[in-house]
Amino acid sequence: MIKSMIIIAGLFLPATVMGQSLQDTVKLKLTEVIDIARAHSTAAVQAATIRENQYWQYKTFKSNYSPQLSLDGTLPQFSKTNIPVIQPDGTVEFKPVTNDNSQLNLGLTQNIGLTGGQVFLGSNVLRFSDFDRRQTRYNGNPLVIGLNQPLFAFNALAWDKKIEPLRYEESQKKYKEDMELVGRDASELFFSLLIAQINRDIAAKNLSNNETIYRIGEGKAALGRLSKDELLRLKLGVLNAHKAMAQANVDAETADLQLKSFIGFSETNQIQLILPEELLTFKIDKEVAVEQARNNRQQAIEFKRALLEADKEVAKAKGENGLKVNLFGTFGLTNVADRLPGIYADARDQQEIRLGFQVPILDWGRSASKIKTAQSNRKLVEARVKQARINFEQEIYTTLRQLSMIQDQMKTNAEADVTASQRFEIAKKRYFLNDLSITDLNIALQEKDQARRDYIFSLKSFWNAFFNLRVLTLYDFTTNTKI
């Protein structure tokens, strides 16, 4: 890990750092590429930003259950105008008025999550100044305590208290999944470039071999030991090798740019990838894998949250379409005075209580339709969650089978790679000794290249399946620990 961080630092510091220029070739292992991607890729930054956004949304939700203190007012509210004044005889006269109505309100509110109501505590003062008559009066409530409580209504606060913690927990698990996806995508791009580089190396070797064979063929043709047709076939092999080399260069450059773009490298950084041939050894119990996925993945939380949100919509439809009753009451102190301190001396008590209700009598089935719609959606969500759970477990089982099959194939592919390479070397020597036809030599060459590619693709499949299993379970089976 320390070594990889040193390499990362060297890549992102100026060219003179660590005594290497930007044109130097950097050798990177698969794990080092993944570490760089998780630290610098745009996908990793996006995952971290989404997690931070979810954190602040959760903080906002939590604040709904804490006291809220606010101060508001109007200072000043000056008015100079003419107003109509009805005279004793019924006529209207417009009188000039110049006044100021300033007010200040201090309030403390607290939501009640259990009932969906709200209690509040407040104090306010109003100053009226009549500039024409040079009169100032104060009116205010030194203290007001009140309750606003809906009855038989939908309680959004209670439902949010069930759902929002799940949403937050889901976001934390999703961040881990997103980072594992970054690792998996980095692995995919790593092998795309690695395969392109290996194909380029194969093309270069094939070009060299074809050129060598063609030169030998020209010597044989000069001695009359090789027909014109066979010499032309050798020349065609050289031309095809040149075309293959050109295409391999294009493919390698494209894969190189894709990987650099993903992990945040400059185009000037030269990368040489190290083939990850040391496979991890571990045993996986299917039931353990499924259990870890249920405990660790955000999708398991998502299932529970989706059902709760469907229940919430049913409760909302019932609460908003039936009997509505609202209880409102206050108790406090009030006073008027010529000076501000007088409001707080010998204040008189004041009370207010109000019970309002609304009963739907005839809505042509509107309320019932909304409730039935919500209940129908609840059944649909339940069916989707049930199917998603089946797919959830099936995906894990499929990945485990793939991983087991790939592990079995790896030894065979590795042995085939070595065998095909040895056979080609023998075939090449036999051709030089006129003991093998050009057709058989080309067959040996094709088998060598195919065996090499099969081995690399099996390595890619193994690592992709391994990282996919980490994504699906958020569990590291090599260390038997949660990610």
Side-chain angles (χ1 to χ4, degrees), residues 25 258 275 383:
T25 299
Q258 289 176 341
L275 189 64

Side-chain angles (χ1 to χ4, degrees), residues 95-108:
K95 300 292 183 180
V97 175
T98 306
N99 59 36
D100 173 57
N101 277 305
S102 297
Q103 61 178 339
L104 198 63
N105 306 298
L106 180 66
L108 180 68

Side-chain angles (χ1 to χ4, degrees), residues 210 213 233-234 237 424 436-447:
N210 278 279
I213 294 171
R233 288 175 63 185
L234 292 179
F424 173 72
L436 192 72
S437 68
I438 186 63
T439 301
D440 291 334
L441 179 63
N442 285 332
I443 291 174
L445 176 62
Q446 293 171 5
E447 289 177 347

Side-chain angles (χ1 to χ4, degrees), residues 364-418:
W364 306 101
R366 182 170 180 268
S367 299
S369 297
K370 287 187 174 182
I371 294 173
K372 290 297 183 181
T373 300
Q375 291 174 337
S376 178
N377 288 335
R378 171 64 170 78
K379 291 181 180 179
L380 180 61
V381 169
E382 187 175 4
R384 287 176 176 174
V385 167
K386 184 178 179 179
Q387 183 60 50
R389 281 177 173 157
I390 295 174
N391 296 340
F392 176 84
E393 297 181 4
Q394 187 61 45
E395 188 176 9
I396 296 173
Y397 291 141
T398 301
T399 302
L400 290 176
R401 285 195 296 268
Q402 290 176 345
L403 192 57
S404 177
M405 180 183 66
I406 293 167
Q407 286 175 316
D408 293 337
Q409 291 176 345
M410 284 299 303
K411 184 179 294 185
T412 302
N413 289 336
E415 187 175 353
D417 180 36
V418 174

Side-chain angles (χ1 to χ4, degrees), residues 1 4-12 30-49 51 175 178-184 186 259-265:
M1 179 60 71
S4 66
M5 294 306 295
I6 292 174
I7 292 175
I8 294 169
L11 291 172
F12 288 93
L30 174 59
T31 53
E32 292 169 340
V33 169
I34 291 174
D35 288 340
I36 296 171
R38 287 174 177 168
H40 297 282
S41 68
T42 302
V45 174
Q46 289 177 343
T49 303
R51 180 182 65 164
Y175 171 73
D178 289 342
M179 295 306 290
E180 288 302 313
L181 285 171
V182 170
R184 188 183 69 180
L259 178 61
K260 288 176 180 177
S261 175
F262 185 77
I263 65 178
F265 265 34

Side-chain angles (χ1 to χ4, degrees), residues 263-428:
I263 65 178
F265 265 34
S266 168
E267 293 184 11
T268 56
N269 293 125
Q270 300 301 316
I271 300 176
Q272 181 180 347
L273 302 181
I274 301 173
L275 189 64
E277 296 186 86
E278 296 182 5
L279 302 183
L280 302 174
T281 56
F282 51 87
K283 294 182 179 180
I284 304 174
D285 184 274
K286 293 182 179 180
E287 300 306 319
V288 172
V290 172
E291 181 183 0
Q292 291 298 331
R294 289 171 179 166
N295 294 336
N296 303 335
R297 284 191 67 189
Q298 63 93 14
Q299 196 172 6
I301 306 297
E302 181 184 352
F303 294 153
K304 185 176 180 180
R305 176 180 59 81
L307 291 173
L308 278 174
E309 287 180 336
D311 289 336
K312 173 184 174 180
E313 292 303 313
V314 173
K316 183 178 181 180
K318 292 180 178 179
E320 293 182 349
N321 293 282
L323 172 64
K324 297 179 182 178
V325 181
N326 192 78
L327 175 64
F328 179 86
T330 63
F331 172 82
L333 301 173
T334 184
N335 205 355
V336 295
D338 295 334
R339 297 181 179 275
L340 181 60
I343 293 178
Y344 303 96
D346 299 325
R348 293 169 293 177
D349 66 307
Q350 71 167 20
Q351 301 89 30
E352 179 183 357
I353 187 167
R354 182 173 67 246
L355 184 66
F357 67 92
Q358 180 180 356
V359 182
I361 297 177
L362 182 63
D363 63 358
W364 306 101
R366 182 170 180 268
S367 299
S369 297
K370 287 187 174 182
I371 294 173
K372 290 297 183 181
T373 300
Q375 291 174 337
S376 178
N377 288 335
R378 171 64 170 78
K379 291 181 180 179
L380 180 61
V381 169
E382 187 175 4
R384 287 176 176 174
V385 167
K386 184 178 179 179
Q387 183 60 50
R389 281 177 173 157
I390 295 174
N391 296 340
F392 176 84
E393 297 181 4
Q394 187 61 45
E395 188 176 9
I396 296 173
Y397 291 141
T398 301
T399 302
L400 290 176
R401 285 195 296 268
Q402 290 176 345
L403 192 57
S404 177
M405 180 183 66
I406 293 167
Q407 286 175 316
D408 293 337
Q409 291 176 345
M410 284 299 303
K411 184 179 294 185
T412 302
N413 289 336
E415 187 175 353
D417 180 36
V418 174
T419 303
S421 179
Q422 293 174 345
R423 179 176 181 272
F424 173 72
E425 292 301 322
I426 294 173
K428 186 166 63 172

